[in-house]
Amino acid sequence: MTAPADSARSRAGLSLFASPATRYWLLIAPALLLMGVFYIYPIGRVLWMSFTVPTTGLDNYELLATSASIQRMLWTTARISVLTTIFTLLLAYVVAYALVHASPKVQRWMFLGVLVPLWISVLVRAFAWFVLLRREGLINSALMATGVTDSPLSLIWNETGVMIGMVHYMLPLGILPIFSNMRDIDQRCIAAARGLGASRFEAFWRVFLPLSLPGVVGASILVFIFSLGFFVTPALLGGGKTLMIAEYIKVQILEVVRWGVASMLAAVLLIVIGVLLAALSRLVNLRKLFGAG
């Protein structure tokens, strides 16, 4: 009696172990463990520190409403991120539109020009813009040599230089989602609009542009989120005069040693990005937008 019962329990255990649900969880368990150790736990620690350092409570978060320097930094971060997103989308849309309508040979060369900056370190690109934009740099020298300006323009150590460097870095991130969406637009829709009497501009404005908006939304998500947390380019081209949130957090940790304030700002940045993604997911299918099915 005991042996058959043990055998039945053993078979039941094996069948449970061999069930699809069990195999699924066993397969993803290592990934979940790694995510918990290296992602969820550190984020949890940051959130915990924002409420407990130096004292337990909401003192750090009260600075959002009382500290003029933090409010100014947050406004600077938001303004530069929005402007960078707008300029990047305008340029990216033009380049993506040209890519879609270019011949295969020209398209290959254009793609090379888009992708090469992605393979170059952001630090190298920031230093390159530093050389180009400084008062004795190539751009100011060319402007004065051609008589466009009488004196060097202030193109560095201000928001102008920061946005130039950031837009240059973000362009590939804006071009690729827009191009991917434009490539899937059925050109017969444009031909049909033209056949019904629409001008070239009307066909673009009323047919092509609305169909390409999902790609624009996807590009705006990528560019804006990357812009919010940008560090190297604002630090080099801003010269300490244009503080964005990432550099401000660095100052709080390494120079002022206010871990609670730094953790609070990091938590705010994380929450803002999460809220933005949640809100946008109500408007567009983010999984489909970024090619996840």
Side-chain angles (χ1 to χ4, degrees):
M1 293 293 293
T2 303
D6 291 341
S7 178
R9 284 196 297 269
S10 177
R11 287 195 298 270
L14 289 173
S15 63
L16 177 62
F17 184 79
S19 66
T22 303
R23 291 198 301 269
Y24 170 78
W25 286 108
L26 287 174
L27 285 172
I28 68 171
L32 291 176
L33 179 62
L34 289 174
M35 182 176 292
V37 172
F38 295 107
Y39 186 73
I40 297 175
Y41 174 73
I43 290 177
R45 286 287 297 171
V46 169
L47 292 173
W48 178 256
M49 289 174 61
S50 69
F51 289 104
T52 59
V53 178
T55 59
T56 302
L58 297 174
D59 295 344
N60 292 323
Y61 288 89
E62 289 177 359
L63 294 174
L64 295 172
T66 60
S67 174
S69 62
I70 289 180
Q71 292 174 354
R72 185 167 56 251
M73 175 274 300
L74 292 175
W75 170 242
T76 299
T77 301
R79 181 176 63 252
I80 291 178
S81 298
V82 169
L83 290 175
T84 297
T85 302
I86 291 173
F87 288 127
T88 300
L89 291 179
L90 290 174
L91 294 174
Y93 196 94
V94 173
V95 175
Y97 187 85
L99 266 170
V100 169
H101 294 88
S103 64
K105 182 178 180 180
V106 174
Q107 195 175 89
R108 285 194 294 270
W109 283 104
M110 292 181 69
F111 254 121
L112 184 64
V114 170
L115 295 176
V116 163
L118 288 175
W119 305 332
I120 301 174
S121 167
V122 61
L123 188 62
V124 172
R125 281 185 277 178
F127 272 117
W129 278 114
F130 179 84
V131 173
L132 290 173
L133 297 175
R134 63 195 181 102
R135 294 179 65 86
E136 301 82 11
L138 181 63
I139 294 177
N140 271 316
S141 298
L143 291 175
M144 290 189 293
T146 55
V148 176
T149 60
D150 297 326
S151 59
L153 298 177
S154 181
L155 300 176
I156 201 171
W157 295 331
N158 51 35
E159 291 187 16
T160 302
V162 170
M163 282 193 291
I164 290 174
M166 288 179 62
V167 169
H168 176 247
Y169 181 86
M170 299 295 177
L171 262 178
L173 300 179
I175 292 171
L176 295 177
I178 297 176
F179 170 78
S180 178
N181 176 257
M182 286 183 176
R183 184 182 55 187
D184 294 335
I185 295 176
D186 192 343
Q187 296 299 318
R188 291 176 296 181
C189 297
I190 313 300
R194 295 279 289 161
L196 292 172
S199 64
R200 188 180 297 273
F201 176 78
E202 287 175 332
F204 167 80
W205 184 257
R206 301 182 65 177
V207 179
F208 190 87
L209 180 60
L211 291 175
S212 65
L213 285 182
V216 175
V217 173
S220 67
I221 297 171
L222 285 175
V223 174
F224 186 71
I225 289 177
F226 270 91
S227 298
L228 284 175
F230 224 69
F231 173 72
V232 174
T233 300
L236 288 177
L237 299 181
K241 299 178 182 179
T242 305
L243 277 180
M244 296 180 66
I245 188 168
E247 188 177 2
Y248 196 91
I249 291 172
K250 186 268 293 184
V251 171
Q252 295 300 311
I253 292 175
L254 298 181
E255 299 179 18
V256 187
V257 195
R258 297 172 69 190
W259 285 82
V261 175
S263 301
M264 177 272 293
L265 292 173
V268 168
L269 181 61
L270 179 66
I271 292 169
V272 168
I273 291 174
V275 169
L276 285 174
L277 287 175
L280 286 167
S281 67
R282 297 289 186 132
L283 302 176
V284 295
N285 186 340
L286 296 182
R287 289 177 56 85
K288 183 178 180 180
L289 187 64
F290 296 118

